[in-house]
């Protein structure tokens, strides 16, 4: 768990959100601008995350007043459920970004994340107020508007890529829910990544045989895996216990905005009025769901 006062928690939460957005930008950059294919990107990303986290665990440093309270043990934990959710998220994420801009992909991803977490709350017996149901309808309408084929104001995303990204978001929502039970965020994240290595190998072997890899693509995949994913997810697991369910859901609404800015600055992707209106509908609708729960 993150040690320290509220400003420290907020600061590390911002770091985690930037890491999430960086994954969208790095993945889109690699798949759109280099020769690497989505299978190789996913395999390298998972492997790089596992290596980085293993190195952190092996260092065995005590953090005292740093990011994590207590010490980092020399062994990893995690679970096969967490590894399965992580692997499903990463694989669907990469294949989806073959046909999606960074901003649209992040919007679909985190829309699905919130739907998954809200649905989990309903299954646990939580009750929604009328304003929250209105928010769900607004968010759903925004996603329909984004995905609608033949829209006059913007080209709809590739339907297969969109479905893959929604599946990726559902898997990430499950990963976040599993992570709320973690008592040692770094060891848990490391264990999840290490358990994902068999999938990484399966994805890398065909890519190596086809030689669908170049140095720039590899570098982007390593950055995504080691920094934005490995360390970024460890920070997220560390702040989760300090956040309520509503706060954990709401802060992730910032990720599509950060990804859109990153896509514009680094990749030259346009932010259309259609995307702005849809984003306001989706993120605003989810905010309506979350805010009453936070006060209730």
């Amino acid at each position: 768990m993150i040690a320290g006062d509220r400003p420290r928690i907020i600061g590390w939460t911002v770091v985690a959100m930037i890491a999430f957005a960086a994954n969208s930008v790095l993945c889109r950059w690699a798949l759109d601008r280099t020769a690497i294919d989505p299978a190789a990107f996913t395999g390298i990303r998972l492997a790089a995350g596992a290596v980085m986290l293993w190195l952190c665990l092996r260092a065995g440093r005590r953090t005292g007043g740093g990011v994590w309270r207590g010490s980092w043990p020399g062994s990893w934990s995690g679970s096969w459920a967490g590894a399965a959710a992580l692997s499903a998220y990463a694989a669907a994420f990469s294949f989806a970004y073959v046909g999606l801009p960074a901003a649209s992909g992040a919007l679909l991803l985190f829309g699905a994340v919130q739907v998954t977490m809200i649905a989990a709350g309903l299954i646990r017996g939580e009750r929604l107020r009328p304003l929250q149901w209105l928010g769900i309808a607004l968010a759903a309408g925004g996603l329909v508007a984004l995905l609608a084929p033949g829209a006059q104001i913007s080209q709809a995303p590739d339907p297969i890529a969109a479905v893959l990204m929604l599946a990726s978001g559902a898997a990430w929502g499950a990963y976040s829910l599993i992570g709320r039970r973690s008592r040692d965020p770094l060891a848990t994240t490391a264990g999840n990544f290490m358990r994902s290595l068999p999938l990484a190998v399966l994805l890398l072997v065909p890519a190596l045989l086809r030689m669908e890899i170049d140095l720039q693509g590899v570098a982007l995949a390593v950055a995504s895996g080691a920094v934005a994913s490995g360390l970024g997810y460890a920070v997220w697991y560390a702040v989760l216990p300090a956040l309520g369910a509503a706060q954990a859901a709401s802060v992730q609404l910032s990720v599509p905005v950060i990804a859109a800015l990153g896509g514009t600055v680094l990749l030259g992707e346009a932010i259309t009025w259609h995307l702005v209106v849809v984003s306001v509908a989706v993120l605003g609708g989810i905010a309506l769901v979350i805010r009453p729960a936070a006060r209730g």
Side-chain angles (χ1 to χ4, degrees), residues 183-226:
R183 293 182 176 273
D184 190 330
L186 190 69
T188 298
T189 310
N192 290 336
F193 267 85
M194 290 176 185
R195 286 181 174 87
S196 74
L197 285 178
L199 174 65
V201 172
L202 288 175
L203 292 171
L204 276 172
V205 170
L208 289 172
L209 293 176
R210 296 192 306 270
M211 298 303 293
E212 293 290 338
I213 286 179
D214 64 12
L215 290 179
Q216 185 183 13
V218 169
L220 291 168
V222 169
S224 176

Side-chain angles (χ1 to χ4, degrees), residues 26-48:
L26 290 170
C27 185
R28 179 59 180 167
W29 189 345
L31 297 177
D32 189 50
R33 308 287 175 88
T34 79
I36 197 168
D37 66 15
F41 184 92
T42 303
I44 294 171
R45 179 185 176 189
L46 292 173

Side-chain angles (χ1 to χ4, degrees), residues 166-264:
L166 291 173
S168 179
W172 177 254
Y175 187 75
S176 294
L177 291 168
I178 294 168
R180 287 183 59 81
R181 300 193 294 267
S182 173
R183 293 182 176 273
D184 190 330
L186 190 69
T188 298
T189 310
N192 290 336
F193 267 85
M194 290 176 185
R195 286 181 174 87
S196 74
L197 285 178
L199 174 65
V201 172
L202 288 175
L203 292 171
L204 276 172
V205 170
L208 289 172
L209 293 176
R210 296 192 306 270
M211 298 303 293
E212 293 290 338
I213 286 179
D214 64 12
L215 290 179
Q216 185 183 13
V218 169
L220 291 168
V222 169
S224 176
V227 181
S229 297
L231 296 182
Y233 296 173
V235 169
W236 178 236
Y237 261 31
V239 299
L240 272 174
L243 301 174
Q247 291 174 317
S250 62
V251 295
Q252 294 183 76
L253 301 182
S254 64
V255 175
V257 178
I258 300 172
L261 293 174
T264 299

Side-chain angles (χ1 to χ4, degrees), residues 60-231:
R61 295 175 295 176
R62 297 189 63 88
T63 59
V67 180
W68 284 276
R69 178 179 293 129
S71 61
W72 293 348
S75 60
W76 43 272
S77 54
S79 67
W80 285 107
L86 172 67
S87 299
Y89 148 75
F93 181 90
S94 297
F95 281 91
Y97 263 127
V98 172
L100 291 173
S104 296
L107 181 62
L108 288 169
L109 176 74
F110 283 93
V113 169
Q114 303 313 316
V115 169
T116 301
M117 298 183 78
I118 291 167
L122 291 174
I123 292 172
R124 289 195 303 266
E126 295 179 9
R127 296 291 181 265
L128 298 183
R129 302 172 187 177
L131 187 61
Q132 292 174 293
W133 285 112
L134 175 62
I136 289 177
L138 182 61
L143 288 176
V144 169
L146 177 65
L147 300 174
Q152 296 299 312
I153 49 179
S154 177
Q155 183 180 1
D158 176 78
I160 295 177
V163 169
L164 283 171
M165 191 59 81
L166 291 173
S168 179
W172 177 254
Y175 187 75
S176 294
L177 291 168
I178 294 168
R180 287 183 59 81
R181 300 193 294 267
S182 173
R183 293 182 176 273
D184 190 330
L186 190 69
T188 298
T189 310
N192 290 336
F193 267 85
M194 290 176 185
R195 286 181 174 87
S196 74
L197 285 178
L199 174 65
V201 172
L202 288 175
L203 292 171
L204 276 172
V205 170
L208 289 172
L209 293 176
R210 296 192 306 270
M211 298 303 293
E212 293 290 338
I213 286 179
D214 64 12
L215 290 179
Q216 185 183 13
V218 169
L220 291 168
V222 169
S224 176
V227 181
S229 297
L231 296 182

